[in-house]
Amino acid sequence: MQKEQICFTLNGETIEVYTDPTISLLRLLRDELGLTGTKEGCGEGECGACTVILDGMAVNSCLVPAGKAKNRSVLTIESLAKGDKYHPLQEAFVEKGAVQCGFCSPGMIMSAYALLQESSEPTSIEIRTAISGNLCRCSGYKQIEEAVLSAAEKLKNRGESG
Amino acid sequence: MPTETDIITGDRKTDRGFQTPEVWAKITGKAIYGIDLKLPGMLYGKILRSPHPHARIMGVDLEQARRMPGVRAALAGDELSCKPFGMVYKDELPLAIDRVRYIGDEVAAVAAIDEKIALKALEAINVDYELLPAVFDTEEAMAPGAPQLHDQHPGNLAWQRELTRGNPEAAFKTADLVVEGSFSVPQVHAAYLEPICCVADYDPYGGLTLHTAVQSPDIVRELVADVLDLPVSKVRIIGPVMGGGFGGRVYGNLKVYIISSLLAIRCGRPVRMQLTRQEEFIAGRPMIAAKIRAKLALNQDGTILARAVDLITDNGAYSAQAPWVSKTLSERNDSVYRIPNIRTTVRLVCTNKVPTGQYRAYGNQVGNFAMESLLDMAAKKLGLDPLELRLKNCVKKGEVTVHGLRINSCALSDCLQAAADEIGWHKRKPGRGYGISAAIHAGGSLVFDKNMRGASAYARLEYDGRVTLFSGEQDYGQGTHATFILIAARALGIEPDQIIIYSRDTLTSPFSIGALAMRQTTIGGKAIQLAAEKLREKIAQTAAEMLGEPVVMEGGRVRSATGKTLELSEIAADYRFQTSGLSITGEGKYVPSESAYDDTGYGNIAVAYSFAAHTAEVEVDRETGEVKIIRIVAAHDSGRILNLISARGQVYGGVTQGLGYSCQEGYLFDGGRVLNDSLADYRIPTALDVPDIMPIFIEQDDPEGPFGAKGLGEIVMVPVLGAVANAVADALGIRVTDLPITAERVYQAIVEWECEQ
């Protein structure tokens, strides 16, 4: 496939890449832009490890052609911490023991991030539904759910969203 | 001169929620996993696999592939001179010669400058096959005239065992009740989320470095060196962060390591090889499938008299550890209860299907499903409460079980009681089913390698007063590193944040058997404790010499009898100058006493034994067969819990895996072809599948484990299978004896039962 110029916003910064638009956004991020925080667990849209936020929506980046990012906004796990200040979701994931092998964590956190953008006081079932496309083999999801609840609480107390 | 005068006292307050700094790297996306690695000049390797379950290879034509632009190497088995290898039997070659034995068998491999070209090159390889008759069913494989897989396994029997303890025949004759059942369990994949990936790098000086995350790097290192005929000192394994293991990555995928190494040696460039998720399913090493016929003899009062088991396990095409897994599967449950008479037959059978390996708990959970189902069948017939039946027969501290296991600490009856109380065993809700199950699991195997029963570790005082630990044990998210740091912190009387640990490089880490057999905390942790204690002793000795009087070490510094103090950094500096640059180090070697393990497998097999009892509460829809798990209570005796946050995580995660095993997972085959070879079709539990899980820890000190601790990571999934099966049977009045207990199976069981009525 012919390479083409694609301009999009990545983690708040406008960038231009010259790439094959048919490769997946996941490949573009990992292989060409060096953002390996977004993981590949299956490459078939089944595990959620590659979840990123595309215009506010959590998507499996392995299923999104890179060309579809054109003129849109992509957020990856690398965008969440500001300097040495972690996002409340990241803090809560650590505090609640929601991270074991950690391979699902970036995708899981991005799905939770998208949820908290939509809903500042999610219920347990809303959380479980929001992360139901993100497989975790280590945790049984319990401490992840606790972490998202706790992060929502923290954000509410700070008067912020997401 | 007496050096240190105080004794180490247990300070428990820091031990409830410690995590290593690596967790922050993981949640920011900065942790480097195997799949994230890139080396300069790296090539991409791919494997051509057999499309046939059984065939003769008449020829492999690599010429066209080799001529493709961007292809740097193409290999087939007949041009290699590798030795056959295997953990138990040497039945595998890196690339097949003459014959393929399953759909997925490795036939050829290529390395190219990118993945796309590598995949194109595979298409350009021509293989001429002559199809052979194949066999997929274990019983058919044992029948006369069946296609034979390996010359070394006549009759396709890869392993067999006949075992009698006591006098089971007499016991079955005189018993008041004999219950019998047949059970089946399919192959199950560990389904770690990160696919196996290896970057092999062959340097110009003849050294081979594998960048890959495995649970037993030292064992893999020796095996790779042997197969490739390299000096073992020339092979190094450096582990990136591991995306889950669960026993499925004990030896990971040896083919991937060996083939990527062969390509790297051939090309003189690093070669990266990553399995696709489909390759994980069709050519990974899932847990063996089992058919179990079992019976139990009891007296009217519920005393268990004897157990007989006839086990057939499906080896698949190659063995890996299937004989050892079959052994554990067939007998570990015998030691949960006092059973004086045992009769066991095991046949491990080769079929033209995916080769098998092991998974968390090593088959113990499969045996649990059969044994605990039988116990409930017996309780029903005897009119006894399943809880009472278990309490009456369960092993206790001080006992030696029928297979010679020495139980030096045991809170199993407390676990049973706690799990029952918490689920409301005696306050049952109408319309719900309740099940209970008990388990034992060996914590720290002494017989995995009888010459290498223990573990070792180093602890080094750094010049800045911090401490570095070196261990060969592996952390893949289960919390080993955090636990080891806590153990060292307690032994040294310093804060955990002053300690770091290295374990992922065979060049710097002491040799270890690895993260298996639930040996990390019990055996590896003990070595850490001993290393830290040794370091403490040497620090105190050095300080005493510096000050010329006895000292005590406390609060991260050293104080003398007359009140002089020294910081650890001052002691380290002094030692460095005295020795022209050395650091104070403590070596810890934990060598458990030898086990009197005889040829029949009788003897103490582990340093300690962990226990658990789980209860399940379920609802079953009689119209659709759908099983809804409401709650699991998981009561555990793993001795002292050293780090509560990761202990809880182990229970939630392990129970969830057990629920997948019970109700969702399992390979489906059409002949030799795996039908559910993706995460869409092989369904592991999602966040919506998991019920309320309640961990309970009955903490009693084990005399041997570090600070009274025993292992936890494997036993967490063992009782789940039995508890769920029993709860479903309780809800329905009908027992499902084939896993997974899906809605279809339950519905079918209801229909069959209705037809019989």
Side-chain angles (χ1 to χ4, degrees):
Chain A
M1 195 68 187
Q2 278 287 292
K3 289 195 174 185
E4 61 180 64
Q5 206 82 10
I6 299 169
C7 179
F8 68 106
T9 307
L10 176 59
N11 296 334
E13 189 186 7
T14 305
I15 63 160
E16 236 176 56
V17 293
Y18 183 65
T19 192
D20 174 355
T22 65
I23 65 164
S24 69
L25 178 58
L26 174 65
R27 289 271 164 215
L28 175 66
L29 293 169
R30 285 179 59 81
D31 297 349
E32 301 190 15
L33 298 171
L35 296 179
T36 55
T38 305
K39 301 301 179 195
E40 179 182 15
C42 69
E44 301 169 331
E46 300 302 340
C47 76
C50 67
T51 305
V52 300
I53 312 281
L54 181 63
D55 279 351
M57 289 261 295
V59 296
N60 287 322
S61 63
C62 72
L63 295 183
V64 177
K68 289 272 183 199
K70 200 171 198 167
N71 300 327
R72 297 169 81 182
S73 163
V74 176
L75 282 185
T76 70
I77 187 69
E78 284 88 353
S79 71
L80 286 205
K82 307 291 179 211
D84 57 2
K85 192 171 167 282
Y86 297 107
H87 188 274
L89 270 167
Q90 292 171 314
E91 286 173 357
F93 265 61
V94 174
E95 283 163 15
K96 296 295 178 184
V99 183
Q100 290 191 34
C101 87
F103 194 80
C104 75
S105 303
M108 195 69 83
I109 289 173
M110 295 319 283
S111 285
Y113 181 90
L115 170 71
L116 296 186
Q117 295 286 317
E118 296 271 302
S119 156
S120 58
E121 287 177 74
T123 61
S124 284
I125 189 69
E126 283 167 348
I127 293 170
R128 284 176 178 251
T129 305
I131 61 167
S132 63
N134 294 81
L135 296 178
C136 171
R137 192 58 154 170
C138 298
S139 73
Y141 307 100
K142 169 78 174 173
Q143 286 153 305
I144 294 173
E145 180 194 322
E146 288 174 359
V148 180
L149 279 170
S150 160
E153 187 77 10
K154 281 184 190 200
L155 284 163
K156 209 178 90 185
N157 292 342
R158 291 185 201 175
E160 297 169 26
S161 67
Chain B
M1 186 194 315
T3 54
E4 197 175 13
T5 50
D6 68 345
I7 46 163
I8 299 162
T9 53
D11 171 12
R12 305 263 306 133
K13 69 179 181 298
T14 59
D15 304 347
R16 308 314 274 184
F18 177 70
Q19 294 177 81
T20 65
E22 190 173 84
V23 71
W24 294 103
K26 287 175 175 175
I27 49 104
T28 50
K30 288 178 183 159
I32 299 298
Y33 292 79
I35 65 157
D36 299 329
L37 270 181
K38 267 187 182 172
L39 294 182
M42 189 173 84
L43 301 172
Y44 293 78
K46 283 283 168 192
I47 295 171
L48 182 72
R49 299 179 179 280
S50 166
H52 306 297
H54 202 186
R56 200 165 291 289
I57 300 175
M58 307 307 286
V60 182
D61 181 3
L62 300 168
E63 282 319 304
Q64 205 188 330
R66 280 181 174 147
R67 280 200 305 270
M68 286 172 65
V71 172
R72 293 291 174 264
L75 297 174
D78 59 0
E79 56 193 49
L80 304 174
S81 54
C82 295
K83 295 180 211 165
F85 64 90
M87 295 313 300
V88 183
Y89 301 119
K90 304 214 178 301
D91 60 353
E92 292 193 73
L93 286 164
L95 294 167
I97 301 177
D98 300 335
R99 257 164 95 187
V100 287
R101 293 179 175 85
Y102 76 100
I103 296 173
D105 216 341
E106 293 82 355
V107 175
V110 298
I113 56 170
D114 68 35
E115 216 176 338
K116 243 187 193 166
I117 296 174
L119 287 170
K120 279 234 165 74
L122 290 188
E123 289 173 19
I125 298 173
N126 287 310
V127 187
D128 189 11
Y129 294 104
E130 181 187 290
L131 302 192
L132 296 169
V135 64
F136 308 116
D137 177 74
T138 47
E139 252 111 331
E140 285 171 19
M142 285 187 286
Q148 300 291 300
L149 269 81
H150 296 276
D151 292 343
Q152 61 178 311
H153 301 319
N156 289 321
L157 273 181
W159 187 72
Q160 55 183 321
R161 184 178 194 219
E162 303 258 338
L163 177 73
T164 303
R165 299 206 195 283
N167 189 347
E169 275 67 26
F172 276 104
K173 237 175 248 167
T174 57
D176 294 332
L177 174 73
V178 175
V179 285
E180 287 189 65
S182 291
F183 306 88
S184 77
V185 181
Q187 290 87 346
V188 163
H189 199 286
Y192 31 76
L193 212 57
E194 182 198 19
I196 284 177
C197 184
C198 176
V199 181
D201 186 17
Y202 189 65
D203 68 40
Y205 317 104
L208 175 71
T209 302
L210 300 182
H211 298 270
T212 192
V214 279
Q215 292 174 236
S216 294
D218 288 301
I219 309 273
V220 170
R221 176 195 191 208
E222 293 193 342
L223 198 136
V224 168
D226 188 49
V227 175
L228 300 176
D229 207 16
L230 290 170
V232 73
S233 62
K234 288 282 191 187
V235 179
R236 177 178 179 188
I237 296 183
I238 303 176
V241 177
M242 195 188 308
F246 319 114
R249 236 192 269 254
V250 166
Y251 309 121
N253 194 308
L254 292 166
K255 295 283 185 94
V256 171
Y257 315 140
I258 295 167
I259 296 169
S260 57
S261 298
L262 286 165
L263 290 167
I265 292 169
R266 180 67 62 101
C267 301
R269 283 168 66 172
V271 174
R272 175 191 197 273
M273 195 169 261
Q274 179 186 336
L275 293 181
T276 63
R277 188 53 67 176
Q278 187 197 33
E279 284 178 299
E280 279 286 358
F281 280 113
I282 67 163
R285 292 293 182 271
M287 171 73 186
I288 53 176
K291 291 177 195 164
I292 308 167
R293 277 181 27 227
K295 55 183 187 174
L296 200 59
L298 302 97
N299 267 346
Q300 196 61 48
D301 67 356
T303 306
I304 302 174
L305 301 175
R307 186 187 112 150
V309 165
D310 181 8
L311 170 68
I312 298 173
T313 42
D314 190 344
N315 181 72
Y318 303 100
S319 274
Q321 289 181 77
W324 302 339
V325 178
S326 301
K327 181 171 181 291
T328 300
L329 197 169
S330 72
E331 71 175 26
R332 189 66 73 249
N333 280 267
D334 297 341
S335 291
V336 178
Y337 304 101
R338 282 183 298 276
I339 310 178
N341 304 294
I342 295 286
R343 170 87 189 141
T344 300
T345 311
V346 187
R347 284 168 291 175
L348 172 67
V349 184
C350 300
T351 58
N352 292 109
K353 299 210 298 276
V354 59
T356 49
Q358 73 286 338
Y359 178 31
R360 193 177 201 169
Y362 224 66
N364 190 1
Q365 69 274 57
V366 178
N368 177 276
F369 165 59
M371 178 65 179
E372 294 290 319
S373 293
L374 276 183
L375 269 179
D376 267 29
M377 289 156 71
K380 198 173 175 182
K381 291 211 163 142
L382 292 169
L384 291 172
D385 179 347
L387 169 65
E388 294 307 320
L389 180 62
R390 285 168 174 81
L391 285 170
K392 182 180 179 66
N393 289 285
C394 71
V395 290
K396 299 209 160 53
K397 181 180 166 179
E399 292 180 1
V400 176
T401 76
V402 68
H403 295 297
L405 279 47
R406 297 189 166 277
I407 309 302
N408 295 325
S409 68
C410 174
L412 179 55
S413 51
D414 297 324
C415 289
L416 282 162
Q417 200 65 62
D421 289 347
E422 180 59 35
I423 204 94
W425 191 256
H426 297 294
K427 292 176 284 186
R428 298 170 168 229
K429 297 189 185 96
R432 299 256 166 103
Y434 294 81
I436 190 164
S437 168
I440 184 174
H441 201 67
S445 172
L446 299 172
V447 295
F448 187 82
D449 178 349
K450 284 195 254 183
N451 297 316
M452 179 66 207
R453 302 184 298 279
S456 56
Y458 318 127
R460 182 169 77 196
L461 180 66
E462 302 296 346
Y463 303 139
D464 58 10
R466 290 164 182 257
V467 170
T468 305
L469 305 172
F470 296 88
S471 166
E473 316 303 333
Q474 300 303 309
D475 188 319
Y476 41 98
Q478 81 281 45
T480 298
H481 282 175
T483 300
F484 283 9
I485 287 173
L486 286 173
I487 288 171
R490 279 174 76 165
L492 287 160
I494 63 176
E495 291 301 315
D497 66 5
Q498 297 297 298
I499 304 173
I500 57 168
I501 180 163
Y502 284 111
S503 74
R504 293 185 177 131
D505 187 341
T506 55
L507 188 69
T508 55
S509 303
F511 179 92
S512 165
I513 288 176
L516 52 89
M518 214 163 71
R519 59 185 289 290
Q520 300 288 267
T521 297
T522 325
I523 289 185
K526 186 82 170 191
I528 290 282
Q529 182 188 347
L530 296 174
E533 285 170 2
K534 190 76 189 168
L535 177 64
R536 182 185 178 115
E537 189 186 312
K538 286 169 80 174
I539 291 170
Q541 196 180 350
T542 307
E545 282 164 15
M546 286 168 74
L547 296 172
E549 54 182 322
V551 299
V552 293
M553 185 171 155
E554 58 185 16
R557 57 163 65 89
V558 162
R559 185 170 51 77
S560 75
T562 59
K564 290 181 217 156
T565 60
L566 284 173
E567 298 297 327
L568 295 186
S569 56
E570 295 176 273
I571 302 165
D574 187 78
Y575 192 85
R576 168 160 59 149
F577 300 138
Q578 298 294 335
T579 60
S580 297
L582 293 181
S583 300
I584 306 179
T585 56
E587 280 185 7
K589 57 172 195 296
Y590 174 49
V591 187
S593 53
E594 205 162 337
S595 161
Y597 184 67
D598 70 18
D599 291 342
T600 72
Y602 182 92
N604 194 38
I605 59 157
V607 169
Y609 299 91
S610 298
F611 294 89
H614 290 189
T615 44
E617 180 181 354
V618 305
E619 259 174 22
V620 183
D621 184 328
R622 296 189 84 97
E623 296 297 316
T624 64
E626 192 191 352
V627 174
K628 187 176 177 207
I629 313 280
I630 309 287
R631 193 167 192 230
I632 300 284
V633 177
H636 282 267
D637 162 21
S638 283
R640 283 286 158 195
I641 297 301
L642 298 179
N643 195 13
L644 186 64
I645 198 167
S646 51
R648 283 176 61 216
Q650 287 300 295
V651 174
Y652 295 133
V655 168
T656 300
Q657 288 186 10
L659 292 171
Y661 220 136
S662 305
C663 298
Q664 295 180 217
E665 296 177 37
Y667 272 53
L668 299 170
F669 290 94
D670 176 18
R673 188 176 303 279
V674 179
L675 292 175
N676 48 350
D677 58 0
S678 71
L679 286 169
D681 295 325
Y682 184 100
R683 282 195 54 238
I684 68 171
T686 71
L688 292 172
D689 296 316
V690 182
D692 179 27
I693 297 166
M694 166 92 180
I696 295 173
F697 296 108
I698 310 285
E699 292 191 63
Q700 292 180 4
D701 286 342
D702 181 79
E704 189 69 12
F707 299 111
K710 301 190 282 192
L712 176 66
E714 293 190 28
I715 194 171
V716 284
M717 85 180 296
V718 178
V720 182
L721 286 72
V724 169
N726 286 337
V728 171
D730 183 52
L732 276 180
I734 306 166
R735 181 164 292 277
V736 179
T737 53
D738 303 305
L739 291 187
I741 305 174
T742 56
E744 294 90 321
R745 282 243 164 80
V746 173
Y747 179 77
Q748 207 176 350
I750 294 171
V751 170
E752 279 167 21
W753 180 82
E754 280 169 354
C755 288
E756 282 166 23
Q757 297 311 300

